[in-house]
Amino acid sequence: MAREGDILGYARVSTAEQDLSSQEDRLTREGAIRVFGDVISGRTFERPGLTALLDYARPGDTLAVIRLDRLGRSLRELLETVDALKAREINLISLEERIDTTSAAGELVFHVFGAIAHFERRLISERTKDGLATARKHGRTPGRPPLREETVSALQDLVSAGKSVSQAARHLGIGRSTAYKAMGGSGRK
């Protein structure tokens, strides 16, 4: 049985005290054959319900939400989600904002979102390059300072004494990847 063209709903609330049912009911009334949901803060970008919806969706399907803020709290998150939908040929309907990318005008919205995302990525890249150039001009080396000799020595001693690199890093209050770099990529995991 072909699933092309299905409407899949996505509902999200921020706390367990809130209820998904009103969003689910409205999405079902709008034609969603299945509604995926998350009870999770918008600040958290990892949303298992949305991930499950995207795993289930096929090209030509439509993701329906009550409002765009259900897909992300920031413009960046929203644009990343819209980019992912577009790349997978999944349409988007937002009931409150009356956005429907299955229409020509709605498709234009997808293109505008894509252009804004591209513009934002370019701005970030340009700001980063400018910041690095300014730092170098003033004699500063961008990035984290190297570990002190004493810290590297203590790290090596802890690993030699039988601790894993991760345990030694935690004990010294440094990042695991930093510890592995200091160890030259060697050491037990």
Side-chain angles (χ1 to χ4, degrees), residues 3-9 33-34 36 49-64 84-85 88-91:
R3 291 183 45 249
E4 186 168 318
D6 289 342
I7 297 174
L8 306 171
I33 64 161
R34 185 168 172 192
F36 297 79
L50 183 58
T51 300
L53 182 149
L54 293 173
D55 289 343
Y56 183 84
R58 302 291 178 257
D61 284 350
T62 300
L63 186 157
L85 294 174
R88 297 185 59 184
E89 299 177 23
I90 298 170
N91 299 304

Side-chain angles (χ1 to χ4, degrees), residues 147-164:
L147 289 179
R148 295 188 334 235
E149 291 261 344
E150 309 86 61
T151 305
V152 174
S153 178
L155 176 65
Q156 291 169 338
D157 290 345
L158 288 168
V159 170
S160 294
K163 289 208 179 275
S164 70

